[in-house]
Amino acid sequence: MENTEKTQQFIEVCGLYFEGIGLTRIAGRIIGWLLICEPPHQQQSELVEALGASKSSVSVALKDLTMLYLVERVSFPGDRRTYYRTAKDMWSRSFRARMHQLTELRLLSERGLEALQDATPERRKRLSFMRDMNGFMETEFPRMLDAWDKIKKDKGYDDL
Amino acid sequence: MENTEKTQQFIEVCGLYFEGIGLTRIAGRIIGWLLICEPPHQQQSELVEALGASKSSVSVALKDLTMLYLVERVSFPGDRRTYYRTAKDMWSRSFRARMHQLTELRLLSERGLEALQDATPERRKRLSFMRDMNGFMETEFPRMLDAWDKIKKDKGYDDL
DNA sequence: CGGATGGTTCGGTATTGACCGAACTCAACG
DNA sequence: CGTTGAGTTCGGTCAATACCGAACCATCCG
């Protein structure tokens, strides 16, 4: 497959971005590549080729990405090879993952409040605020996702 | 200041949480401590004492946290020491930081689309979707924050 | 049974960076 | 002045981990 200067850059920036949010650089590059490649499903050897990474790195990165539901495995009848492509719900999935951080924060605040059970309301205020704000976001977030789901259909993105 | 088993645990969990989202463990512990301490403003030496960390680590962690607007410096007339406390807007600040990640993702997708200028719409679809979804979230997110801002007032959290 | 192809696991290397202790700077005060 | 306290900067150490190459496993063909 062709590989222009610009696509190459795109892949690198992807690598850096996803590395920045906690994945590895190679995993990020894989995502980048899977976002632009044709066809959209690729086998490991193709990724190795396209990214100039080692078989082993690609193998483990794909396993991680699959675990995170960012990438999914695909197979075709009469072909024993495994292909990979960006997962159907990868984006809403990662939004939900982020939402989960909200929950963690709320739980954290509740834990703190428990530790300060007998303290004055004034002292507990910082934690109460933290709990309430994250609780609010926790309920609003799914609303946003639902709203997007509707728009998504209208825009003809059903299959993504 | 007293330091029970439970508060100690809270601080450690905070350390781990914030380490998990990209800060250092010590920075996380500082946040944890500043969320529950009395008075809510502390000087470096008190943090060193409370957390059992070194002066240097606390110094650099506080600098980082201050740069990120998660913690702010406070001073009092007639007292030349510097105190630190959780920043007034630390939570909305970190929400906005997260929102910024949405923007980065959208820009990333636009970069990819540019690289695929001459490709078929079908091939560009993955990136178009990514751009549109993040764009949508980018506009909805501030709405959520505004909504919270109103509720916040009603709940008597004006000063946080 | 080879042998080729596709993929995983393992050991080692090299980089990164968090943290600490010690040395240093700077003020204020005796 | 020197001393004390508050804070920063520097150098070094230690732990974590991303990545690679090589060895290994499995499955299908001739």
Side-chain angles (χ1 to χ4, degrees):
Chain A
M1 204 189 112
E2 97 287 357
N3 214 339
T4 71
E5 183 67 21
K6 286 212 170 175
T7 60
Q8 206 49 255
Q9 282 176 15
F10 173 72
I11 291 166
E12 285 314 308
V13 180
C14 268
L16 293 170
Y17 175 82
F18 286 101
E19 186 177 27
I21 63 166
L23 301 179
T24 69
R25 191 172 299 185
I26 286 193
R29 285 199 270 239
I30 289 178
I31 292 178
W33 177 252
L34 289 180
L35 283 171
I36 60 178
C37 61
E38 189 64 29
H41 51 87
Q42 303 272 117
Q43 49 176 333
Q44 287 199 190
S45 55
E46 291 173 308
L47 293 171
V48 167
E49 164 83 10
L51 304 177
S54 74
K55 273 206 304 180
S56 51
S57 304
V58 170
S59 173
V60 55
L62 281 175
K63 189 158 80 179
D64 294 352
L65 289 171
T66 308
M67 292 288 95
L68 293 168
Y69 301 101
L70 295 177
V71 154
E72 49 190 22
R73 292 152 49 84
V74 203
S75 64
F76 298 96
D79 184 342
R80 60 200 164 80
R81 279 168 298 188
T82 308
Y83 296 85
Y84 294 87
R85 69 167 174 223
T86 52
K88 185 167 158 24
D89 280 352
M90 73 169 285
W91 297 115
S92 47
R93 186 79 63 172
S94 40
F95 276 99
R96 267 177 238 286
R98 225 165 268 186
M99 195 175 68
H100 186 252
Q101 291 189 341
L102 299 179
T103 310
E104 274 189 76
L105 272 178
R106 181 178 51 76
L107 292 172
L108 205 53
S109 68
E110 278 163 4
R111 195 159 175 165
L113 284 167
E114 203 189 327
L116 294 191
Q117 244 168 345
D118 308 323
T120 66
E122 186 54 31
R123 183 170 176 193
R124 292 160 53 91
K125 198 168 182 183
R126 279 160 285 171
L127 290 172
S128 310
F129 177 75
M130 179 176 163
R131 180 197 54 200
D132 291 354
M133 179 164 180
N134 283 291
F136 174 78
M137 296 299 172
E138 247 174 310
T139 64
E140 288 303 313
F141 220 87
R143 256 192 263 285
M144 254 172 68
L145 280 172
D146 288 352
W148 168 248
D149 248 30
K150 299 214 170 56
I151 296 175
K152 178 181 160 186
K153 289 224 168 97
D154 297 344
K155 291 208 176 202
Y157 288 133
D158 296 24
D159 53 329
L160 285 176
Chain B
M1 202 189 115
E2 96 287 354
N3 213 339
T4 70
E5 182 68 21
K6 285 211 173 177
T7 60
Q8 205 50 253
Q9 281 174 14
F10 172 72
I11 292 166
E12 285 313 309
V13 181
C14 268
L16 292 172
Y17 176 80
F18 286 100
E19 186 178 26
I21 62 166
L23 300 179
T24 69
R25 191 174 298 186
I26 286 192
R29 285 200 271 241
I30 290 177
I31 292 178
W33 177 252
L34 289 179
L35 282 172
I36 61 177
C37 62
E38 190 65 27
H41 50 88
Q42 303 272 116
Q43 46 176 14
Q44 286 200 189
S45 55
E46 291 173 307
L47 292 171
V48 167
E49 164 83 10
L51 305 178
S54 74
K55 273 206 303 178
S56 50
S57 304
V58 170
S59 173
V60 55
L62 280 175
K63 190 158 80 178
D64 293 351
L65 289 171
T66 309
M67 290 289 94
L68 292 168
Y69 301 102
L70 294 178
V71 154
E72 52 190 18
R73 292 151 51 83
V74 203
S75 65
F76 298 97
D79 185 343
R80 59 198 167 81
R81 278 168 300 187
T82 307
Y83 297 85
Y84 294 86
R85 71 168 172 221
T86 52
K88 185 169 159 21
D89 281 352
M90 72 170 285
W91 296 116
S92 45
R93 186 80 63 173
S94 40
F95 277 98
R96 267 176 239 287
R98 223 164 271 187
M99 196 175 67
H100 185 252
Q101 291 189 341
L102 299 179
T103 309
E104 275 189 77
L105 273 178
R106 181 178 50 75
L107 291 173
L108 205 53
S109 68
E110 279 164 2
R111 195 158 175 165
L113 283 167
E114 204 189 327
L116 294 192
Q117 245 169 342
D118 307 322
T120 67
E122 186 53 33
R123 183 169 175 194
R124 290 159 56 90
K125 197 168 182 182
R126 279 160 282 171
L127 291 171
S128 309
F129 177 75
M130 178 176 165
R131 179 197 55 199
D132 291 354
M133 179 165 181
N134 283 291
F136 174 78
M137 296 298 172
E138 246 174 312
T139 65
E140 288 304 312
F141 220 88
R143 256 194 261 285
M144 254 173 68
L145 280 172
D146 288 351
W148 168 247
D149 247 31
K150 299 213 170 56
I151 297 174
K152 177 182 163 184
K153 288 225 166 95
D154 297 343
K155 291 208 175 199
Y157 288 133
D158 296 22
D159 53 329
L160 288 177

